Amino acid sequence: MAIPIWSNIRELSPPPRRFLLFSVFNVVSWQCIVGPAMVLLARDIEMPPSWVGFLNAFVPMSMVLVAFTVPLVTRYGSKRVMFTAWLLRNIVTGLVFLLPWVLAQGSVKAGWAVLMIATLGFCIMRALGVGGWFPWLHEVVEERERGSYFAAEAVTTQCMNILIMTCQGLALRGDPGVWSFLLIYVVGIVAGLLSLVWMARVPGGDAQVEAHPAGSSFHFYRDALADRRFVTFVGTASLCFMAATWISASLVMFMRDILQMSSGHIMLLTALNSFWILLTVTPWSRYADHSGSGRAMFKALVAHSICSFLLLLVSPSGNT
């Protein structure tokens, strides 16, 4: 009997498999550079919680730039835009390795600035390139393969999250210093560079200047904004993303600063969270196929909201 993830991958043709492998390395890079370890590093160098809030805001705020990248994707192609942006985001992130030198000079605030500049640069470069992700993905993955592809992607993403968080938890056990966190950044940057190798092997992603002359791309926004159901869906998804971001970011600081949990234990607990998600992927997708995505998403959001409210019952002493 075949394992579901392997059976889904075997059903894919070579181009989607390459895109999936690129995504795997991309997940490693993402979690190592702007995952929970980033928040723990910020607090380790005594960055105030309000500053950490701005640090976490860089990802959603930078995504606004995606709206202005349509002409770039149209003129230069998804592949060229994404490759350039992904390369630059790894280069810019390298600024974080100035942190030990800056802290050694006795300037803690300068250390905060270094971490914020490196993170902001990563987010901006990513936002400038991510606009080509879905156009390229839908070009590479044929409609008949999309179900298998997204199922395989969901499972592999959670598997990689479990592996990454567990390794980070082991790296941060005890009383980690700045260099322990920077080791995680090394892994993230190396994974980001390896993702470029597989990105280059994915076909397609060419420019479409003839199909969409320069300056004509933005008229598609008018058609999208005229679709009320689409606007409602995007608005709801945006609010959900905001809520999830607030909870995940505040929860890491709550565990560290209020519950006094160690960085290693926080990362291992995060890995356990991904493990529970992994267990639900297959049955939840079957339920969505049977009862519809709308009902599945509604029940998932209700359950997520209830669990989030239960967090309010957690006291600093560990009693509820």
Side-chain angles (χ1 to χ4, degrees):
M1 181 177 176
I3 302 175
I5 179 176
W6 298 121
S7 61
N8 287 332
I9 292 176
R10 282 205 309 268
E11 293 174 3
L12 299 175
S13 57
R17 289 183 190 179
R18 293 171 184 170
F19 203 100
L20 183 62
L21 193 53
F22 152 68
S23 299
V24 168
F25 283 104
N26 186 67
V27 169
V28 176
S29 178
W30 173 268
Q31 290 293 358
C32 289
I33 295 176
V34 289
M38 176 195 69
V39 176
L40 295 174
L41 171 60
R43 295 297 294 135
D44 187 73
I45 61 175
E46 301 179 351
M47 181 182 289
S50 59
W51 283 51
V52 178
F54 285 111
L55 194 66
N56 278 291
F58 287 159
V59 174
M61 287 175 61
S62 63
M63 290 302 291
V64 177
L65 296 175
V66 176
F68 303 98
T69 61
V70 176
L72 289 176
V73 174
T74 302
R75 181 174 180 81
Y76 299 106
S78 300
K79 187 171 187 175
R80 185 175 177 183
V81 170
M82 282 190 63
F83 190 94
T84 303
W86 254 242
L87 176 61
L88 290 176
R89 82 177 193 175
N90 284 287
I91 294 175
V92 173
T93 305
L95 291 173
V96 76
F97 296 112
L98 294 175
L99 199 55
W101 178 79
V102 171
L103 293 176
Q105 307 305 310
S107 179
V108 178
K109 289 187 176 180
W112 304 345
V114 166
L115 181 58
M116 295 193 76
I117 291 172
T119 304
L120 180 60
F122 175 92
C123 293
I124 290 176
M125 292 300 104
R126 173 184 177 270
L128 292 177
V130 79
W133 184 294
F134 280 107
W136 193 8
L137 177 63
H138 282 259
E139 178 188 350
V140 171
V141 184
E142 297 182 8
E143 186 172 355
R144 61 181 176 81
E145 295 183 294
R146 286 175 190 168
S148 297
Y149 176 85
F150 285 114
E153 184 185 53
V155 175
T156 52
T157 296
Q158 295 308 321
C159 287
M160 292 308 301
N161 281 339
I162 294 171
L163 178 62
I164 297 163
M165 300 303 178
T166 301
C167 291
Q168 290 182 2
L170 295 175
L172 298 177
R173 65 185 183 278
D175 185 19
V178 172
W179 282 107
S180 296
F181 289 99
L182 292 183
L183 176 61
I184 295 175
Y185 274 84
V186 170
V187 174
I189 293 176
V190 171
L193 294 175
L194 288 175
S195 74
L196 294 176
V197 175
W198 288 100
M199 183 193 295
R201 298 183 179 184
V202 179
D206 298 325
Q208 300 179 6
V209 179
E210 295 181 0
H212 305 289
S216 66
S217 302
F218 286 112
H219 82 273
F220 290 112
Y221 286 110
R222 183 175 62 250
D223 298 333
L225 294 174
D227 189 335
R228 182 173 299 179
R229 295 177 62 186
F230 174 77
V231 172
T232 302
F233 176 81
V234 171
T236 303
S238 300
L239 291 174
C240 293
F241 178 79
M242 289 170 57
T245 302
W246 292 340
I247 292 171
S248 61
S250 60
L251 189 57
V252 172
M253 287 194 290
F254 181 78
M255 288 189 289
R256 183 191 185 279
D257 298 339
I258 306 300
L259 299 183
Q260 300 296 306
M261 293 178 64
S262 67
S263 297
H265 287 159
I266 292 173
M267 297 310 305
L268 292 175
L269 183 59
T270 305
L272 185 61
N273 291 339
S274 293
F275 176 73
W276 299 130
I277 295 174
L278 178 63
L279 294 181
T280 67
V281 170
T282 300
W284 203 239
S285 62
R286 290 174 180 171
Y287 177 81
D289 291 338
H290 179 268
S291 303
S293 298
R295 179 173 294 183
M297 291 172 65
F298 176 78
K299 290 187 175 182
L301 290 174
V302 170
H304 194 276
S305 300
I306 292 174
C307 292
S308 299
F309 276 113
L310 290 177
L311 292 173
L312 299 176
L313 302 178
V314 179
S315 66
S317 63
N319 300 319
T320 56

